[in-house]
Amino acid sequence: MRIGLLNGGGDCPGLNAVTHGVVGAATRLGWEVIGFRDGYEGLLPPGDYKILNPEKARGIIRQGGTILGTTNHGHFSSKHGSGDVAKVPAELMRQAKSTLKNLGIEALICVGGDGTLTTALQFAEEGVPVIGVPKTIDNDLKATAMTFGFDSATQVVVDALDRLNTTASSHKRAMVVEVMGRHAGWIALYGGLGGGANVILIPEIPYDIRKIAQVIRDREADGLHSSLIVVAEGAAPAGGTQTVEAAVAGGEYRLGGVGERVAADLERLTGKETRTCTLGHLQRGGSPTSFDRMLGTRFGVHAVKLIERGEFGRMVSYQRYHVGSVLIAEAVSQLNLVDPEGEVVETARCVGISFGD
Ligand code: F6P
C-alpha cells in the first residue's frame, strides 16, 4: 500500500512530528509514504514528491518548519477574504486525482488549518480517500481541543515577555508586544498569562484605550513604573476595526500594526515612554516544544490508523486527553474563539490582568 502526505497553509512547529508519526506507523504496516512538496501544489502532474522512508524521517521530530514545504497561496486555495469558500476548479481536481492514480496512492493525509481542510473536504467529496490532520499555531479550530504548534508559539511569547520585562523595568517603560493568532486571542491569552502581562488585548474583547491608560497610571501610582501589554494582532477598539497591515492576493488581508497603534495612543494619553515589539514569525519558527512533538506524533500515528480502518473523510482530533477523530465536514469553518466569560479569562482577571474593557 502507498499513502500520500502533504502539509498545507502556514508552517507550524510540530509538522515534522506528524510526518515522523505517519512514517513510523505506516512502515510498521509495510506501507510506503509519498510526501508531496508544497502542499496540494505537489499534486500537479507529474507530481512533485519524495519517498519518505524511515531514514528520511529520522531526527525530524525535533525540527521546526516542514521538510515537505508548504504554501498558503497555491492553486488549490479554497478559502478567500473573510472565509468565503471557493470550489477547486474541476480541471485542477482532475489533474490532482490523475497524479494520485498514476502514483498508486490509496489514501491521502492532508495536514493543515481551515483552508487546507476545506480543500481536503472537496477531495473527499470527489471520492479521494482523505484523512485530515489539524494544524495551526492560532488554536482556532473548533473540532479539536488543541492543535500542535500552539504550545510552541505560546512559549515564544512567554520567553519574549521574560526578556522584555527586564529591559522595560530598567527603563521604566511600557512595552506593547504584538502577537499572532488571526481572529482568535488564544496566543495572546496563554502567552500573556504565562508571561506575566499586565494587560492582554484579544479580538474577542473589544478594548477601550482609556481603560488601558488608567491601568498604567494606577501602576505608576503604586510605584510600578513598567508595564507589559500583550496585543493580539486581531484585537480592535470597541466600535473600531482591526488593523490591517496589507491586502494580499485573492481578497485576503494580513493583520498587523495594532501594537504600534496601541503604543502611540498610550504614549499620548499617559505621557509615558511606550515601545512596541512585534513577535511575528518568531512564533512559528524553531523547534517544537515537548507537548507539540508528542501531539504531532500522536496525530500522525492516528491518521494512519484511520486509513487502516478505512475511516475516510475524517479529521484527527484531540479531546479530553485522547486522540480520536471527527468528520472533516463537521470540523471546517467553525472558529474556536476565546470565551470572554470563560475560566481562563476569569483566571487572568483574578490575578489582576486587565483586558482593557
Ligand atoms: O495562521 C497562522 C498565522 O501565523 C497567523 O497567526 C498569522 O496571522 C498568519 O498566519 C500569518 O501568515 P503569513 O505567514 O502568510 O503572513
Side-chain angles (χ1 to χ4, degrees):
M1 174 125 166
R2 259 188 157 187
I3 62 172
L5 171 68
L6 60 83
N7 298 162
D11 72 329
C12 173
L15 274 170
N16 292 326
V18 177
T19 300
H20 165 76
V22 168
V23 173
T27 304
R28 266 174 74 115
L29 293 167
W31 301 355
E32 190 173 53
V33 183
I34 301 291
F36 289 99
R37 292 198 178 90
D38 301 337
Y40 293 101
E41 301 298 295
L43 296 176
L44 290 171
D48 187 7
Y49 62 89
K50 55 180 165 186
I51 295 174
L52 293 171
N53 54 28
E55 206 175 301
K56 291 255 170 51
R58 195 162 297 140
I60 63 170
I61 192 171
R62 56 177 64 86
Q63 275 179 36
T66 159
I67 63 163
L68 293 177
T70 187
T71 178
N72 46 13
H73 306 301
H75 291 86
F76 293 84
S77 294
S78 57
K79 278 272 168 100
H80 300 290
S82 48
D84 304 333
V85 176
K87 198 98 180 116
V88 172
E91 175 54 20
L92 270 185
M93 184 61 84
R94 194 195 59 72
Q95 291 181 8
K97 283 169 78 175
S98 83
T99 302
L100 292 170
K101 190 159 174 257
N102 292 342
L103 292 172
I105 287 171
E106 294 176 58
L108 180 65
I109 300 173
C110 304
V111 189
D114 196 49
T116 303
L117 295 168
T118 301
T119 301
L121 180 60
Q122 295 186 18
F123 273 78
E125 287 164 355
E126 289 287 326
V128 178
V130 157
I131 301 293
V133 175
K135 163 247 66 162
T136 164
I137 63 164
D138 304 335
N139 205 37
D140 60 354
L141 293 173
K142 191 87 174 174
T144 182
M146 197 74 98
T147 49
F148 61 85
F150 170 65
D151 189 59
S152 304
T154 302
Q155 189 58 51
V156 171
V157 177
V158 168
D159 290 344
L161 289 175
D162 285 352
R163 289 173 184 277
L164 292 169
N165 185 46
T166 60
T167 171
S169 68
S170 303
H171 286 267
K172 299 187 177 62
R173 285 171 174 160
M175 190 68 80
V176 177
V177 185
E178 182 181 312
V179 304
M180 283 184 166
R182 261 183 205 280
H183 304 294
W186 293 109
I187 297 177
L189 179 59
Y190 276 52
L193 186 50
N198 309 112
V199 178
I200 299 174
L201 306 180
I202 58 176
E204 295 86 345
I205 304 178
Y207 66 83
D208 177 343
I209 197 74
R210 291 164 304 181
K211 299 257 174 72
I212 311 167
Q214 194 55 46
V215 171
I216 291 172
R217 283 191 213 102
D218 289 348
R219 287 176 59 77
E220 286 289 335
D222 287 345
L224 301 166
H225 302 296
S226 65
S227 297
L228 292 176
I229 298 120
V230 173
V231 190
E233 62 183 357
T241 54
Q242 291 178 321
T243 312
V244 173
E245 182 186 293
V248 282
E252 292 281 348
Y253 54 90
R254 193 180 302 143
L255 292 170
V258 64
E260 291 287 356
R261 179 180 177 183
V262 166
D265 288 347
L266 285 179
E267 195 161 87
R268 182 171 45 78
L269 289 171
T270 63
K272 189 162 182 68
E273 188 178 9
T274 306
R275 295 295 184 88
T276 316
C277 176
T278 302
L279 295 182
H281 291 85
L282 284 173
Q283 294 158 99
R284 292 225 307 250
S287 294
T289 59
S290 62
F291 180 83
D292 287 339
R293 296 179 195 203
M294 189 255 323
L295 192 62
T297 305
R298 289 172 74 187
F299 276 10
V301 168
H302 198 78
V304 172
K305 285 188 179 163
L306 289 173
I307 295 175
E308 198 184 3
R309 292 191 220 129
E311 295 184 31
F312 297 112
R314 299 190 71 81
M315 183 194 86
V316 175
S317 148
Y318 183 63
Q319 299 292 348
R320 297 174 193 277
Y321 302 104
H322 290 285
V323 175
S325 69
V326 295
L327 285 171
I328 299 177
E330 283 170 14
V332 294
S333 301
Q334 293 195 57
L335 270 189
N336 173 32
L337 298 177
V338 173
D339 177 2
E341 312 297 332
E343 181 262 330
V344 188
V345 171
E346 174 63 12
T347 297
R349 290 194 197 275
C350 283
V351 295
I353 296 173
S354 164
F355 286 84
D357 59 338

